[in-house]
Amino acid sequence: MTAIASLRRVGLPRLVVHVSVLLICIVWLIPTLGILVTSFRDAGQITASGWWTAFTGAAETSAARLGEPSTARQEGANYVISGSVFEGGQGGTVRAFGTRVAAPTEFPAGQTADIGNGETLTINEDGSYIYSKNAPFEGRGKRVYLSVATPPSFTTDNYRTVLTSQGIGQSFVNSLTVAIPATIIPILIAAFAAYALSWMEFPGRALIIAMVVGLIVVPLQMSLIPLLRMYNEIGNFFGVPSRSYAGIWLAHSAFGMPLAIYLLRNYIAGLPREIIESARVDGASDFEIFVKIILPLSFPALASFSIFQFLWTWNDLLVAMVFLGTGKDQLVLTGALNALLGSMGGKWEILTASAFITIVVPIIVFFALQRYLVRGLLAGSVKGG
Amino acid sequence: MISQIVSAVGVVIAGVFVCALYYWLSDKALQLAFPVPEDNVRAASVNLNRRAVVRPWLFLGPALILLVVYLVYPVIATFILSFYDRSGGNFVGLANYRWAIQDGQFRQSIFNNILWLAVVPAACTFFGLVIAVLTDRIWWGNIAKSLIFMPMAISFVGASVIWKFIYEYRGGNGAQIGLLNAIVEAFGGQPQVWISLPFWNNFFLMIILIWIQTGFAMVILSAALRGIPEETIEAAVIDGANGWQIFWKIMVPQIWGTIAVVWTTITILVLKVFDIVLTMTNGQWNTMVLANLMFDWMFRGGGDSGRSAVIALVIMAAVTPIMIWNIRQANKEMGGH
């Protein structure tokens, strides 16, 4: 009754909206949920069954060999072999069994199966079996196939493995080393430039603004070849490594600069003129105005851009591949994950745990600062990421 | 490990400090170079003017240097390098362009890029619009939006791992642990190696980008929908329009500008798509796109800067109309100020 009453109140079209949004959310979440669940599963279970069965326990098909004919006892007219299919050490619950590989779940556990040739076989849930024949057994121990339900087993071992022996822990630190300065430096530089472009009069201002807007969409690919050559030449000339953290900070700062200047200029130019002019009348220099008035007032725009830039530098692969080395002390998380995809393909316990470590920082940043991210997107949706 | 963290933090602080120091010192230097004596009003005003002339360039300096060194100069250099041979030493005229036109892999990349351009921006905008309309009508819409927006924070490489796991194929009799193959099997279909399935594998890669970018389209379009004046919809209701008509005839025309912005933004992103193809297939099985081909030629056989530059220029040419349009828009807006 209540369900029908509330259905009537909600109205059918409204209900359709709720259900379809729910469905979309589920579809959108499932991929991420998949690697999250998998990263906590036991390596053996990951390959045995889909992650969606992780909570109900996996049904694994395995094979076992019954005892040798020499272990048979005679009981009346029959010869009997008994024991447990779990002698190898693995435990679990037998759901079903069979004697042919084509039909490994032919008989449910506990049933006495007539498998022809005068033989009967019973395998119980706990793994114990009774195999009997109306004549002496011959040959080797019989091979049987089992569907074994193993209880769900979760572990944090995957994370321990990737953080230490797979170098993901080191890469995490490397990623932070890249992302934090590559976020702060361009903000500082862009904020000064944006102030100059909004509140100072000088020849060429309009031209510079047009150039900045144009550069926002210039593809990174245009910069890579000349910069790679330039970095190599500088490295050779001064005898320093051409791939260094300083190099990638500058590269990231420069690639983020057009959007940073554009976003900050839009914001700073919109600040009330009276505040800045009254400060000038009071004798404050532009430097003081900038540090004491503009920076605090522009906090929302600075926050928006810093989130963009942090996500972009943390998630970047291309710039890191070109400007940073692949050694242990320089490989960032995205690069490490890409390398693991090549070397550990199919080892999902390693890949999923590494992937989750890679995405957890941006996801935390995203949920904590979503408000600023949305604001920045709305202000600067001329750039293509 | 500890020492790396300590040195990383040290470098972070030092790098930021040097930057801040520049602005502080340059301002101090400016004040020393053009002193403002209190007893001499004439000299003071002259020097104040000089400061006002120099100061914008001190503020702009680092930004301009970065822009010129990392963006303006490379664009010109790449253009020039496209006429030179693999080492960049010998002029070869249009040879690299002729090579590109005849190269099968280059044509394949162009074809795939066009495929991406035809599918991804349209799909993202469409789903984004539908989800924006739906979530605006329910009380938990903001939670739903957050969840759909979330993939935006995930790196392309991370997303590739996530989706590679969905497309996972297992040969033999074992259970399919990839969600897609498990679903296909549950409906009685034959499991496939999705990412090496010619032609269709492109679409399986596109799904990843659509999954990431739909949230972006949704956020922007949702804001635009909320900006539609209430009266226009009320008037349509009074005139007896149904929901479908209101959506297509009243709401969509009013947000055309925003749809165009979303579409072009995703178009630019699609032109530069690199990470997804690199991690999923590395261009194998006919999935090569321009950005990956360009990267490939940067290092293939010691690197071929000429061919690589030609491929980069194709991407540049594709974004140029958008660039010009953006500059015009910006000029128009500033003219209005």
Side-chain angles (χ1 to χ4, degrees):
Chain A
M1 268 318 270
T2 49
I4 292 169
S6 62
L7 182 70
R8 209 166 270 157
R9 203 180 64 237
V10 170
L12 197 61
R14 186 49 75 79
L15 191 71
V16 170
V17 172
H18 278 282
V19 171
S20 35
V21 173
L22 192 67
L23 274 179
I24 294 169
C25 285
I26 290 171
V27 168
W28 241 257
L29 265 187
I30 275 182
T32 320
L33 196 65
I35 68 146
L36 178 60
V37 171
T38 304
S39 69
F40 284 106
R41 288 181 84 198
D42 184 69
Q45 292 206 340
I46 293 174
T47 47
S49 64
W51 60 268
W52 50 93
T53 64
F55 298 99
T56 56
E60 205 170 320
T61 301
S62 63
R65 204 173 274 284
L66 303 179
E68 296 285 327
S70 59
T71 62
R73 307 182 310 277
Q74 196 170 1
E75 287 181 4
N78 291 337
Y79 292 82
V80 177
I81 300 174
S82 60
S84 170
V85 290
F86 291 137
E87 268 156 13
Q90 81 175 123
T93 310
V94 177
R95 287 270 162 77
F97 65 95
T99 55
R100 291 174 298 141
V101 70
T105 57
E106 203 173 358
F107 313 107
Q111 185 187 336
T112 302
D114 182 353
I115 53 177
N117 212 8
E119 299 177 9
T120 60
L121 175 62
T122 312
I123 300 181
N124 295 312
E125 281 192 356
D126 62 356
S128 62
Y129 65 86
I130 298 167
Y131 177 35
S132 71
K133 189 176 181 181
N134 56 9
F137 290 102
E138 285 163 6
R140 299 186 55 199
K142 185 162 184 63
R143 201 169 169 76
V144 293
Y145 300 93
L146 307 161
S147 170
V148 182
T150 43
S153 114
F154 293 101
T155 168
T156 53
D157 283 355
N158 302 334
Y159 284 96
R160 204 165 302 135
T161 309
V162 298
L163 280 174
T164 53
S165 57
Q166 297 298 337
I168 292 292
Q170 172 80 48
S171 289
F172 191 90
V173 177
N174 296 345
S175 272
L176 280 178
T177 313
V178 170
I180 292 177
T183 303
I184 297 172
I185 295 172
I187 290 189
L188 207 61
I189 295 178
F192 275 97
Y195 175 72
L197 290 174
S198 337
W199 293 104
M200 292 175 170
E201 296 290 340
F202 58 94
R205 196 174 81 154
L207 195 70
I208 292 175
I209 295 173
M211 179 181 87
V212 166
V213 172
L215 288 178
I216 291 176
V217 297
V218 166
L220 208 50
Q221 278 77 12
M222 287 300 284
S223 296
L224 295 181
I225 310 166
L227 287 179
L228 189 66
R229 294 166 72 95
M230 189 170 83
Y231 272 46
N232 284 336
E233 274 163 28
I234 291 174
N236 285 338
F237 189 77
F238 292 103
V240 292
S242 57
R243 297 171 166 211
S244 65
Y245 281 114
I248 197 170
W249 293 339
L250 288 175
H252 271 312
S253 301
F255 297 144
M257 191 60 56
L259 182 69
I261 297 178
Y262 176 78
L263 279 181
L264 294 177
R265 198 204 83 90
N266 278 355
Y267 193 89
I268 292 174
L271 292 175
R273 177 172 289 273
E274 300 79 48
I275 298 181
I276 289 146
E277 278 179 354
S278 66
R280 276 192 184 142
V281 170
D282 289 348
S285 74
D286 279 308
F287 187 77
E288 287 164 338
I289 293 175
F290 177 78
V291 172
K292 291 191 182 139
I293 298 175
I294 303 290
L295 276 188
L297 282 181
S298 324
F299 178 77
L302 297 173
S304 294
F305 173 74
S306 53
I307 296 163
F308 273 134
Q309 182 74 0
F310 180 80
L311 291 180
W312 154 244
T313 50
W314 182 275
N315 289 339
D316 158 77
L317 175 66
L318 180 56
V319 176
M321 278 178 98
V322 175
F323 294 105
L324 266 189
T326 49
K328 211 164 63 90
D329 57 333
Q330 288 193 337
L331 193 62
V332 292
L333 274 176
T334 47
L337 193 54
N338 184 37
L340 284 179
L341 266 173
S343 63
M344 294 279 173
K347 285 204 163 186
W348 288 106
E349 69 279 6
I350 303 280
L351 291 175
T352 52
S354 309
F356 199 72
I357 294 169
T358 316
I359 67 179
V360 72
V361 170
I363 285 186
I364 291 170
V365 168
F366 170 83
F367 280 115
L369 302 168
Q370 206 186 138
R371 203 156 50 95
Y372 294 108
L373 184 69
V374 171
R375 200 179 294 177
L377 272 185
L378 294 176
S381 47
V382 292
K383 161 144 171 156
Chain B
M1 187 69 114
I2 300 287
S3 72
Q4 158 98 14
I5 294 174
V6 170
S7 65
V9 171
V11 187
V12 166
I13 294 170
V16 173
F17 182 74
V18 166
C19 236
L21 198 66
Y22 159 80
Y23 290 104
W24 189 75
L25 279 183
S26 68
D27 196 66
K28 281 274 166 276
L30 188 65
Q31 287 178 15
L32 280 181
F34 302 113
V36 181
E38 290 192 2
D39 49 354
N40 186 342
V41 180
R42 246 187 86 85
S45 82
V46 166
N47 274 352
L48 274 177
N49 271 337
R50 282 182 183 153
R51 279 191 198 175
V53 170
V54 176
R55 189 176 273 120
W57 301 103
L58 289 181
F59 276 34
L60 273 171
L64 281 182
I65 291 171
L66 279 179
L67 288 178
V68 168
V69 172
Y70 282 84
L71 289 164
V72 178
Y73 153 73
V75 168
I76 299 163
T78 301
F79 184 71
I80 294 170
L81 278 173
S82 73
F83 299 103
Y84 281 79
D85 69 347
R86 57 185 308 128
S87 64
N90 304 306
F91 184 78
V92 293
L94 292 172
N96 292 319
Y97 292 86
R98 271 198 294 275
W99 161 80
I101 293 167
Q102 282 156 10
D103 185 61
Q105 219 176 7
F106 178 81
R107 289 187 194 174
Q108 175 83 56
S109 306
I110 295 268
F111 173 78
N112 287 343
N113 262 107
I114 291 173
L115 208 59
W116 280 74
L117 284 176
V119 174
V120 177
C124 292
T125 313
F126 174 75
F127 288 130
L129 190 57
V130 169
I131 296 170
V133 171
L134 290 179
T135 49
D136 272 348
R137 304 172 72 186
I138 52 177
W139 58 268
W140 52 284
N142 279 337
I143 301 169
K145 272 189 202 160
S146 279
L147 293 179
I148 293 163
F149 193 30
M150 184 206 62
M152 181 112 195
I154 295 176
S155 63
F156 290 143
V157 186
S160 298
V161 173
I162 290 173
W163 283 87
K164 213 169 191 177
F165 189 47
I166 290 200
Y167 300 147
E168 172 77 349
Y169 168 81
R170 294 250 148 186
N173 277 318
Q176 291 296 339
I177 61 167
L179 187 60
L180 183 59
N181 274 325
I183 292 172
V184 166
E185 214 173 40
F187 283 98
Q190 189 64 34
Q192 300 276 343
V193 192
W194 302 107
I195 58 168
S196 64
L197 208 63
F199 183 69
W200 299 107
N201 51 8
N202 282 306
F203 293 91
F204 289 109
L205 303 194
M206 287 177 207
I207 286 173
I208 304 173
L209 193 56
I210 296 171
W211 179 70
I212 294 175
Q213 286 298 316
T214 296
F216 162 77
M218 175 198 71
V219 165
I220 308 269
L221 292 170
S222 169
L225 286 173
R226 286 185 182 177
I228 293 177
E230 201 76 36
E231 305 85 62
T232 57
I233 293 168
E234 275 165 19
V237 171
I238 291 167
D239 288 349
N242 62 27
W244 191 252
Q245 288 170 325
I246 290 175
F247 179 72
W248 283 110
K249 301 223 166 109
I250 310 291
M251 291 164 90
V252 170
Q254 292 194 65
I255 57 167
W256 265 129
T258 312
I259 291 177
V261 167
V262 169
W263 197 292
T264 48
T265 306
I266 299 175
T267 298
I268 294 169
L269 189 74
V270 167
L271 279 167
K272 298 189 291 185
V273 66
F274 168 79
D275 307 24
I276 294 176
V277 177
L278 182 83
T279 46
M280 293 296 282
T281 63
N282 198 9
Q284 287 172 284
W285 309 296
N286 299 342
T287 53
M288 193 58 107
V289 293
L290 287 171
N292 289 76
L293 189 63
M294 185 255 163
F295 185 80
D296 215 33
W297 276 108
M298 252 175 91
F299 297 105
R300 192 188 282 184
D304 187 327
S305 61
R307 291 180 178 182
S308 197
V310 169
I311 302 165
L313 279 169
V314 175
I315 304 175
M316 182 69 200
V319 302
T320 303
I322 300 171
M323 186 165 120
I324 293 169
W325 191 77
N326 277 348
I327 293 176
R328 282 206 184 144
Q329 277 315 99
N331 277 343
K332 221 185 279 173
E333 271 166 36
M334 271 183 300
H337 264 284

